[in-house]
Amino acid sequence: MSMAKIRLYVDHPLGAGQSVPLDRDQAHYLFGVMRQGAGAPVLLFNGRDGEWLATVTEAGKRGGLLSCEEQTRPLQLPPDLWLLFAPIKKARTDFIVEKAAEMGAARIVPVQTEFTNAERIRRDRLQAHAVEAAEQCGGTFVPEVADLVPLSRLLADWPEDRRLMWCDEALVGGSAGLPDGAAGPWAILIGPEGGFSEVERSRLKALPQAVPVSLGPRILRADTAAVAALTLWQDQLGDWR
Amino acid sequence: MSMAKIRLYVDHPLGAGQSVPLDRDQAHYLFGVMRQGAGAPVLLFNGRDGEWLATVTEAGKRGGLLSCEEQTRPLQLPPDLWLLFAPIKKARTDFIVEKAAEMGAARIVPVQTEFTNAERIRRDRLQAHAVEAAEQCGGTFVPEVADLVPLSRLLADWPEDRRLMWCDEALVGGSAGLPDGAAGPWAILIGPEGGFSEVERSRLKALPQAVPVSLGPRILRADTAAVAALTLWQDQLGDWR
């Protein structure tokens, strides 16, 4: 077994004997911050070819080179699950993206609702958080963070075959659950701190693919609700079983 | 229905006609930060008497007085569930306490494991986080934050009637679940980022009250694991049904 602990996401093909270049930021992290040098073992993944044990062959200030040795884990795709959430304060938005990647969402979609404060997001920064979370949690896949999109537009054109679990605060204490064994594409929708508007609520209720779910008798913050909803879904329909 | 939005935890009896004094910090928050004055409606709870609608009768810089009018919610105690966790970096420790209060743990116990970094905690600061979370989530109960205690001591004297759900990283991908309908006192134990030591793992395995549980195929951060484990427990054995 390899003793390599450092895991890096690289946007480069991985395979036996493959040379993999590092960009400046990665070189700074690996050689500067983590004090690794030539010969150091590193685990690499790219979201497509699984996880590979690689060895540093060149270490420089502005870049570096690694050589792939053997595959240590096969690619494990998450279930076809999207997480839709209304961006909130910066730290909690970062947190939701981190948690979605850890919990195994395949795609992260920030949505603008009537009561959402955020007018814009920094997609690149959120994507970097998803990468970091994947590096940390041992995943071999990085969920894509989509651009901010109005919820109304998303619902108007909702894919027919994708079920939508939405966390309805009005159901607090109610007993709605997920349908047994309903596999296939899904999405989870977490509302903003102020809840959904009446218009949004009616739209969701009218959507045949939508399944309202209760998250207990207390009102959860959006970041807590995201982890709780992902847990329920993964446990009942996802890859936790 | 009351339009009061502000909820305050007070350490004072609540009942019809009861006068409730505010301390300096609360007065600063309510009158200074939130700009409320005499006549303003406020929701109060003390962890014992449910939630009460009260009206400000005196507003001052160093204190204030409220008068209770009517009970708006009965006391709702959480299930008899403790959350045990190994303190980690400050922000994530605060987060775990906040989440435990939101998710309905009755008691929060920071534990020192072999791989825990923290030597001490600020119990008063963590308790304040639990109060704030209860104010926010609409709860009428505030979980007590206990002092930091070594896990070994806790396990050596573990209550016979309290079951212990521990999240075993070695079970990743395995299929251990909670026993159906096992009501009564429970605790959830979340390990530190470095996992449990071999000695701790053996102790836990030998404890008849302990139930190992898997949290899926990815390695979760301690704060994510806490919310996920609380979700599984509340959904299967707690007050979410």
Side-chain angles (χ1 to χ4, degrees):
Chain A
M1 284 299 289
S2 141
M3 294 300 289
K5 282 284 174 71
I6 298 173
R7 298 183 85 241
L8 280 185
Y9 171 83
V10 290
D11 186 14
H12 197 271
L14 300 175
Q18 179 79 51
S19 275
V20 181
L22 292 183
D23 66 26
R24 199 183 179 120
D25 286 350
Q26 290 170 323
H28 171 72
Y29 170 74
L30 193 59
F31 310 133
V33 180
M34 301 304 287
R35 314 247 160 193
Q36 303 295 306
V42 178
L43 295 171
L44 302 179
F45 66 105
N46 61 4
R48 302 183 299 273
D49 301 319
E51 181 188 83
W52 286 77
L53 174 64
T55 308
V56 175
T57 49
E58 282 179 43
K61 284 208 169 176
R62 291 177 194 174
L65 212 58
L66 292 127
S67 174
C68 278
E69 290 178 8
E70 48 168 355
Q71 196 184 41
T72 43
R73 301 175 75 172
L75 174 65
Q76 192 191 20
L77 291 173
D80 185 1
L81 174 66
W82 299 353
L83 179 73
L84 281 50
F85 75 101
I88 37 179
K89 275 178 261 166
K90 184 171 161 296
R92 290 192 191 259
T93 297
D94 293 353
F95 186 88
I96 289 180
V97 169
E98 173 188 303
K99 275 21 196 165
E102 272 181 61
M103 296 288 301
R107 192 152 178 265
I108 301 169
V109 186
V111 294
Q112 208 162 6
T113 69
E114 287 192 43
F115 300 154
T116 304
N117 292 318
E119 294 291 309
R120 55 199 305 172
I121 55 158
R122 284 278 312 272
R123 211 196 61 78
D124 55 338
R125 209 173 48 81
L126 294 181
Q127 187 64 65
H129 273 286
V131 166
E132 207 181 303
E135 288 175 343
Q136 174 98 18
C137 78
T140 48
F141 177 84
V142 179
E144 180 208 11
V145 180
D147 273 323
L148 187 66
V149 57
L151 178 62
S152 55
R153 196 195 303 163
L154 212 57
L155 292 184
D157 199 26
W158 190 255
E160 217 169 286
D161 65 339
R162 186 171 295 274
R163 304 188 80 159
L164 177 65
M165 164 179 173
W166 66 290
C167 302
D168 186 357
E169 287 191 1
L171 275 182
V172 158
S175 64
L178 288 171
D180 272 345
W186 271 86
I188 292 172
L189 170 62
I190 302 294
E193 305 265 303
F196 294 107
S197 73
E198 272 316 306
V199 174
E200 287 165 345
R201 193 175 289 282
S202 309
R203 277 205 173 180
L204 284 163
K205 282 184 179 164
L207 192 72
Q209 300 94 316
V211 179
V213 165
S214 159
L215 297 177
R218 285 157 297 270
I219 298 164
L220 304 183
R221 279 181 189 266
D223 52 351
T224 318
V227 178
L230 285 161
T231 301
L232 288 183
W233 193 91
Q234 287 287 21
D235 183 55
Q236 287 173 45
L237 302 172
D239 65 12
W240 282 28
R241 292 264 146 152
Chain B
M1 285 297 292
S2 140
M3 293 300 290
K5 282 283 174 71
I6 298 172
R7 297 182 86 241
L8 280 185
Y9 170 84
V10 290
D11 186 14
H12 197 274
L14 301 174
Q18 179 79 54
S19 277
V20 182
L22 293 183
D23 66 25
R24 197 185 180 120
D25 286 351
Q26 290 170 322
H28 171 71
Y29 170 74
L30 193 59
F31 309 132
V33 180
M34 301 304 288
R35 314 248 160 190
Q36 302 296 304
V42 178
L43 295 171
L44 302 178
F45 67 105
N46 61 6
R48 302 183 299 275
D49 301 320
E51 180 189 83
W52 286 76
L53 173 65
T55 307
V56 175
T57 50
E58 283 179 44
K61 283 209 168 173
R62 291 180 193 170
L65 212 58
L66 293 128
S67 174
C68 278
E69 291 179 6
E70 48 169 355
Q71 197 184 40
T72 42
R73 300 175 74 172
L75 175 63
Q76 191 191 21
L77 291 173
D80 185 1
L81 174 66
W82 299 352
L83 180 74
L84 281 50
F85 75 100
I88 37 178
K89 275 177 260 166
K90 185 172 161 297
R92 290 191 191 260
T93 297
D94 293 353
F95 185 90
I96 289 180
V97 169
E98 173 189 303
K99 275 20 194 164
E102 270 181 64
M103 296 287 301
R107 193 154 177 264
I108 300 169
V109 187
V111 296
Q112 207 162 8
T113 69
E114 287 191 45
F115 300 153
T116 304
N117 293 319
E119 296 289 309
R120 56 199 305 171
I121 54 159
R122 284 277 312 273
R123 209 195 64 76
D124 55 339
R125 209 172 49 81
L126 294 181
Q127 186 66 65
H129 273 286
V131 166
E132 209 182 301
E135 288 175 344
Q136 174 98 17
C137 77
T140 49
F141 176 85
V142 179
E144 180 207 11
V145 180
D147 273 323
L148 188 67
V149 57
L151 178 63
S152 54
R153 196 197 300 164
L154 211 58
L155 292 183
D157 199 26
W158 190 256
E160 217 168 285
D161 65 340
R162 186 171 295 274
R163 304 187 81 158
L164 178 64
M165 165 181 173
W166 66 291
C167 302
D168 187 357
E169 288 191 1
L171 275 182
V172 158
S175 65
L178 288 171
D180 272 344
W186 271 88
I188 291 172
L189 170 61
I190 302 293
E193 305 264 302
F196 294 108
S197 73
E198 271 317 305
V199 174
E200 287 165 344
R201 193 174 288 281
S202 309
R203 278 203 170 181
L204 284 164
K205 283 186 179 160
L207 192 72
Q209 300 94 316
V211 179
V213 165
S214 158
L215 297 178
R218 287 156 296 268
I219 298 164
L220 304 183
R221 279 182 190 266
D223 51 351
T224 318
V227 178
L230 285 161
T231 302
L232 288 183
W233 193 90
Q234 287 287 22
D235 182 56
Q236 287 173 47
L237 303 171
D239 64 12
W240 282 27
R241 292 262 146 153

